[in-house]
Amino acid sequence: MSKKDSSGVAQILAYINEKNRPYSAQDVFTNLQKQCGLGKTAVVKAMDQLAQEGKIKEKVYGKQKIYFADQSQFADVSDAELKKMDSRIAEISTEVQTISQSCRQLDTELKELNGSLTTAEMKAQIQELQAECSGYSERLDKIKSATNHVTPKEREKVSKERETYVKEWRKRKRMVSDMVGAILEGYPKSKKQFLEEAGIETDEDHKVTMPNI
């Protein structure tokens, strides 16, 4: 057995005796993987060796082996001492719950603080918003003082004229499209060739899109 394996076996024995609770080989491998540096196969082999040597005990449950410390090495504990331990465990459990609750509250407060602006950031944001408001106020004053306002009546007139022109545009485009379609039925060449020969320019040629009314 190499020095590394011997050291690993010693660490496993010390760990099982210190914790004094049942473990599978997988548990020990997971818990001591970084400390002893042994692979899972080596851990299983080491625990089997310790059990064969009587340094630890083992029990088989189906296909799984459970290992635990040899209890004969520990002094007997009286009922009074057990009750005292149980009482201490209850006290520590209550303390752990209290600390855990406090940690959760502190974590919530920390998240809220991290999501809040600092005083300097708030001042900078206020200045930025004030400058933005000032710009809007100046722009509004210029609009109010302008003499070339368009009245609602004028705006309505322009809107109606636009609607009329667009309707006429659509009507004429449909008429031309119908005529071209009728001509192409007896025309031997393509539509593109016909438009070129007839000198017809389309909206698409000038990259013009008919607006919606």
Side-chain angles (χ1 to χ4, degrees):
M1 181 180 295
S2 66
K3 290 183 179 180
K4 179 180 178 181
D5 291 342
S6 299
S7 175
V9 171
Q11 284 182 300
I12 291 172
L13 177 59
Y15 179 76
I16 291 178
N17 286 334
E18 177 191 355
K19 299 300 181 182
N20 193 19
R21 52 167 292 180
Y23 285 111
S24 67
Q26 178 63 46
D27 294 333
V28 174
F29 167 68
T30 302
N31 296 341
L32 295 181
Q33 187 175 13
K34 293 181 179 180
Q35 296 179 31
C36 64
L38 295 178
K40 185 176 179 181
T41 302
V43 170
V44 173
K45 184 178 178 181
M47 296 185 73
D48 284 338
Q49 175 188 331
L50 289 169
Q52 290 173 6
E53 294 174 355
K55 294 179 179 178
I56 62 174
K57 300 296 182 180
E58 72 173 11
K59 282 188 177 294
V60 180
Y61 296 93
K63 296 182 179 181
Q64 187 176 27
K65 288 183 179 181
I66 299 299
Y67 302 87
F68 52 92
D70 182 5
Q71 300 302 302
S72 63
Q73 65 182 306
F74 303 115
D76 293 335
V77 181
S78 66
D79 290 341
E81 288 176 318
L82 288 174
K83 289 181 180 179
K84 185 177 180 181
M85 289 180 184
D86 289 338
S87 177
R88 180 56 181 158
I89 290 172
E91 289 177 4
I92 293 174
S93 297
T94 302
E95 187 178 350
V96 167
Q97 290 179 355
T98 302
I99 293 173
S100 296
Q101 184 176 0
S102 177
C103 285
R104 286 194 294 270
Q105 291 175 346
L106 290 173
D107 185 56
T108 300
E109 291 178 10
L110 179 61
K111 288 179 180 178
E112 290 177 354
L113 290 172
N114 286 335
S116 303
L117 296 175
T118 64
T119 302
E121 289 173 336
M122 290 182 70
K123 288 181 178 179
Q125 192 174 70
I126 289 172
Q127 290 179 350
E128 183 179 342
L129 290 172
Q130 287 176 338
E132 189 175 348
C133 288
S134 178
Y136 287 140
S137 297
E138 290 178 6
R139 184 178 175 187
L140 182 60
D141 290 340
K142 288 180 180 179
I143 293 173
K144 288 181 177 179
S145 62
T147 57
N148 57 345
H149 290 302
V150 177
T151 64
K153 186 176 181 180
E154 290 174 325
R155 186 164 54 247
E156 183 180 0
K157 179 183 177 183
V158 171
S159 179
K160 287 184 177 180
E161 288 179 352
R162 176 182 180 277
E163 183 178 342
T164 300
Y165 293 141
V166 172
K167 285 182 178 179
E168 188 66 23
W169 183 356
R170 182 175 289 110
K171 176 181 176 182
R172 296 189 180 191
K173 184 171 183 176
R174 185 168 54 250
M175 289 173 59
V176 172
S177 179
D178 292 342
M179 286 189 292
V180 170
I183 293 171
L184 289 175
E185 290 181 2
Y187 189 72
K189 299 180 182 180
S190 67
K191 179 180 179 180
K192 182 178 179 181
Q193 289 174 315
F194 169 73
L195 293 176
E196 289 177 353
E197 292 179 359
I200 298 175
E201 296 180 348
T202 65
D203 293 340
E204 291 72 22
D205 291 334
H206 294 276
K207 297 181 182 180
V208 176
T209 302
M210 184 181 299
N212 294 323
I213 296 176

